[in-house]
């Protein structure tokens, strides 16, 4: 009998893939909000003061930084992790099926020899 300490729980691994998919969807939603929901139009901070243009420029720079350096990198990281976890799940599932098939063939052939 196989040692259970080395057994991979495919249901748990599948659950991880699903949760990563949900995190990725949430990240894409946050990314969309950061791109479209944080626009700072001219005059929205008031008019007639010197710092207004500088504030909008700084806002745009920070917005670009968040989109490119934070959200995009996080999305790529989560997507990569999800793909690798899914691939790992598939590989373990394939190996489990191969092992099961090999055991069934061995069991069948041994029955035929001694019947």
């Amino acid at each position: 009998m196989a040692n259970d300490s080395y057994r991979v729980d495919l249901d748990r691994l599948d659950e991880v893939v699903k949760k990563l998919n949900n995190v990725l969807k949430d990240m894409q939603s946050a990314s969309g909000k950061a791109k479209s929901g944080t626009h700072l139009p001219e005059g929205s901070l008031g008019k007639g003061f010197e710092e207004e243009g500088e504030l909008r420029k700084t806002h745009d720079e920070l917005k670009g930084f968040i989109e490119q350096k934070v959200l995009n990198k996080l999305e790529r990281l989560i997507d990569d992790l999800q793909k690798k976890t899914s691939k790992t799940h598939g590989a373990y599932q394939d190996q489990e099926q191969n092992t099961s098939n090999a055991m069934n063939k061995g069991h069948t052939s041994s029955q035929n020899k001694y019947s």
Side-chain angles (χ1 to χ4, degrees):
M1 180 124 210
N3 186 345
D4 285 339
S5 65
Y6 295 104
R7 185 172 174 86
V8 175
D9 188 342
L10 293 176
D11 291 334
R12 291 286 190 175
L13 206 50
D14 190 46
E15 187 178 319
V16 170
V17 171
K18 288 176 184 176
K19 287 182 179 184
L20 286 170
N21 278 331
N22 288 335
V23 170
L24 188 58
K25 287 177 189 174
D26 290 345
M27 287 299 303
Q28 290 168 342
S29 174
S31 180
K33 288 177 185 175
K35 290 176 184 173
S36 62
T38 58
H39 177 65
L40 195 58
E42 189 173 342
S44 63
L45 299 173
K47 293 182 181 180
F49 65 100
E50 185 178 322
E51 294 85 3
E52 192 267 340
E54 186 179 339
L55 285 170
R56 280 190 305 106
K57 180 182 176 211
T58 302
H59 171 269
D60 289 343
E61 290 171 357
L62 186 55
K63 179 182 172 191
F65 175 81
I66 290 170
E67 289 173 11
Q68 298 301 314
K69 302 292 183 178
V70 178
L71 294 175
N72 285 348
K73 284 186 178 185
L74 277 172
E75 281 181 39
R76 286 193 311 267
L77 174 71
I78 293 166
D79 184 52
D80 184 53
L81 183 58
Q82 182 273 335
K83 286 176 182 174
K84 287 178 180 176
T85 304
S86 183
K87 187 176 180 179
T88 301
H89 176 274
Y92 275 113
Q93 195 171 32
D94 290 348
Q95 185 59 46
E96 190 174 271
Q97 185 64 45
N98 291 341
T99 302
S100 177
N101 289 343
M103 290 177 73
N104 286 336
K105 285 179 183 177
H107 183 68
T108 303
S109 62
S110 67
Q111 280 184 339
N112 292 338
K113 287 181 183 179
Y114 301 108
S115 296

